[in-house]
Amino acid sequence: MEAERGRKTLYSAAQPSGNLTIGNYVGAIRNWVRLQEGNDCFYAIANMHSITVRQEPAELRRRTLEAAALYIACGVDPEKCTLYVQSQVPQHAELTWVLNSLTYVGEMSRMTQFKDKSQKHADNINMGLMDYPVLMAADILLYQVDGVPVGLDQKQHVEIARDIAIRFNNRYGETFRVPEPLILKTGAKIMSLQEPTKKMSKSDENLNASIFFADDKDTIIRKFKRAVTDSGNDIRYSEEKAGVSNLLTIYSVFRDCTVEEAEKEFAGKGYGEFKLAVGETVADKLAPVQAEQKKLLADKAYLAGVLASGAERAFKAARKTLSKVYRKIGFYQGE
Ligand code: AQP
């Protein structure tokens, strides 16, 4: 009974907009694995978010399955959580439409991600790009969740989801649970290996900036060796040493130690030795995950089954909330 009372409902997702990076893992997926124990978790592959930036259809389809296999290979257990593809649950789009009418263009145009992506994709500033946070609010609010485990970059979007939920509840009466962002203390923002003041991103054009789950050992080690650090030589975590601090964070997560322990381990050692150790540690940790992902991808029927039953479970939960929303706002739903 005690455990039941502490049980929370959680939602999170990642976009199959590229190969997933260790940033996605460190900031989000490893937390999903921990949180699936004792909570009711909905974990999605957010393919509807992905199309806000141009995608090649065949690649998007392939990456969707790769992401599902990767989540599972990382430890997301479809027996313990609801794992599904966003576009297979139509209520995400339906609730977005309703929430759009409660969201202001001004607040969407101020979102950091919208501003960044508008700059990056200046030839394709589409409505979906601007509406991304409303779709994300719908994702979250559909499942009446308590918390949303995300990396730091998504905190602003969870906050707007809270604002929209509160706005709806004030106008139409208590309908949505207001969620909290759940952000890890260490690794909430893994930085680019080439520009350590910028976040590591799966869609970064500079392939040396990110470590992808698809990278082999040699590539991982080469990328870490080339990682940008400062001109000093002490391996110490500090604000003015963004590159070294980022590597220390990555090392501590993959080595399962604290940043202080990592600093001690490398005290008096050179950058070359340090970078090699980070590269080897990450590569060795990724190897079994890569092997498991490959095995899962060879069994398309298994993956299809997992995603179909996940979508069915998500559909049932989402339908309940959407029906309540439609009733509250006065949409006719038959007799
Ligand atoms: N560098 C990062 N450090 C920590 N957490 C991160 N996340 C992303 N990058 C980092 C977290 O991963 C989850 C899934 O992210 P997403 O796929 O929904 O989109 P994103 O945040 O826009 O991630 P990317 O990799 O930068 O994707 P693209 O390049 O497609 O925009 C989220 O919880 C996110 O916080």
Side-chain angles (χ1 to χ4, degrees):
M1 270 316 273
E2 269 308 299
E4 280 301 307
R5 236 184 289 156
R7 224 175 155 84
K8 299 245 190 308
T9 305
L10 310 173
Y11 172 88
S12 197
Q15 304 178 67
S17 47
N19 281 312
L20 270 77
T21 71
I22 58 166
N24 300 126
Y25 174 74
V26 174
I29 301 174
R30 80 183 158 120
N31 208 13
W32 303 355
V33 174
R34 191 177 62 84
L35 290 166
Q36 71 188 346
E37 307 296 336
N39 295 301
D40 296 318
C41 299
F42 291 85
Y43 295 141
I45 296 144
N47 58 344
M48 291 168 67
H49 283 276
S50 294
I51 61 164
T52 58
V53 167
R54 279 190 200 107
Q55 303 291 332
E56 213 279 294
E59 254 181 50
L60 180 61
R61 204 172 297 121
R62 177 175 55 76
R63 284 197 191 124
T64 301
L65 270 193
E66 283 175 1
L70 186 67
Y71 290 7
I72 301 172
C74 285
V76 169
D77 182 348
E79 300 285 323
K80 293 183 180 161
C81 66
T82 300
L83 170 61
Y84 69 101
V85 177
Q86 187 185 28
S87 63
Q88 291 197 295
V89 181
Q91 288 86 355
H92 288 255
E94 293 174 290
L95 182 58
T96 301
W97 183 248
V98 174
L99 300 183
N100 270 336
S101 301
L102 279 103
T103 310
Y104 300 101
V105 171
E107 55 189 349
M108 291 299 100
S109 64
R110 287 193 293 276
M111 293 281 111
T112 307
Q113 182 181 281
F114 174 66
K115 288 195 281 191
D116 288 351
K117 292 215 165 166
S118 300
Q119 240 176 22
K120 208 164 145 195
H121 304 280
D123 60 336
N124 184 24
I125 307 175
N126 60 71
M127 291 300 293
L129 196 62
M130 193 179 215
D131 211 24
Y132 184 114
V134 185
L135 175 57
M136 185 160 154
D139 297 341
I140 297 168
L141 301 181
L142 270 179
Y143 301 103
Q144 303 288 359
V145 308
D146 302 282
V148 190
V150 283
L152 199 57
D153 64 310
Q154 292 294 338
K155 185 168 180 248
Q156 193 180 42
H157 288 163
V158 180
E159 280 162 0
I160 203 81
R162 287 172 57 86
D163 292 348
I164 294 172
I166 293 168
R167 202 173 293 164
F168 189 101
N169 289 348
N170 286 342
R171 190 166 308 169
Y172 297 105
E174 211 51 32
T175 306
F176 293 122
R177 192 171 293 170
V178 180
E180 297 286 343
L182 302 176
I183 297 175
L184 287 165
K185 278 204 184 80
T186 306
K189 195 169 184 185
I190 296 299
M191 310 310 277
S192 152
L193 298 187
Q194 291 299 311
E195 288 174 75
T197 49
K198 205 179 103 181
K199 136 186 132 111
M200 183 181 287
S201 197
K202 64 174 102 70
S203 60
D204 198 315
E205 274 159 20
N206 183 348
L207 295 181
N208 288 323
S210 309
I211 302 289
F212 301 103
F213 272 92
D215 287 342
D216 61 25
K217 185 165 184 168
D218 287 348
T219 308
I220 294 173
I221 290 178
R222 181 178 43 77
K223 287 183 181 179
F224 277 112
K225 276 189 181 161
R226 286 191 189 165
V228 170
T229 41
D230 56 279
S231 55
N233 52 16
D234 52 334
I235 297 163
R236 180 172 48 82
Y237 191 97
S238 82
E239 247 177 56
E240 64 278 10
K241 292 172 81 70
V244 170
S245 300
N246 189 38
L247 297 185
L248 277 168
T249 302
I250 294 171
Y251 184 78
S252 74
V253 168
F254 281 87
R255 195 59 203 270
D256 207 10
C257 65
T258 63
V259 168
E260 293 74 27
E261 283 165 344
E263 280 176 330
K264 270 195 202 129
E265 190 180 335
F266 293 103
K269 296 193 174 148
Y271 282 174
E273 192 178 337
F274 171 52
K275 287 177 179 180
L276 180 64
V278 182
E280 280 182 336
T281 303
V282 171
D284 291 347
K285 263 280 161 68
L286 294 196
V289 176
Q290 291 165 334
E292 183 60 20
Q293 185 196 24
K294 201 168 160 201
K295 211 168 91 194
L296 288 161
L297 281 169
D299 192 350
K300 296 275 186 309
Y302 166 75
L303 287 178
V306 162
L307 295 173
S309 72
E312 200 178 318
R313 281 208 300 276
F315 184 94
K316 280 190 188 139
R319 188 176 52 188
K320 213 166 136 196
T321 301
L322 191 71
S323 162
K324 190 172 173 188
V325 167
Y326 279 4
R327 184 160 41 79
K328 296 268 184 167
I329 63 173
F331 275 6
Y332 178 72
Q333 295 186 84
E335 292 310 313

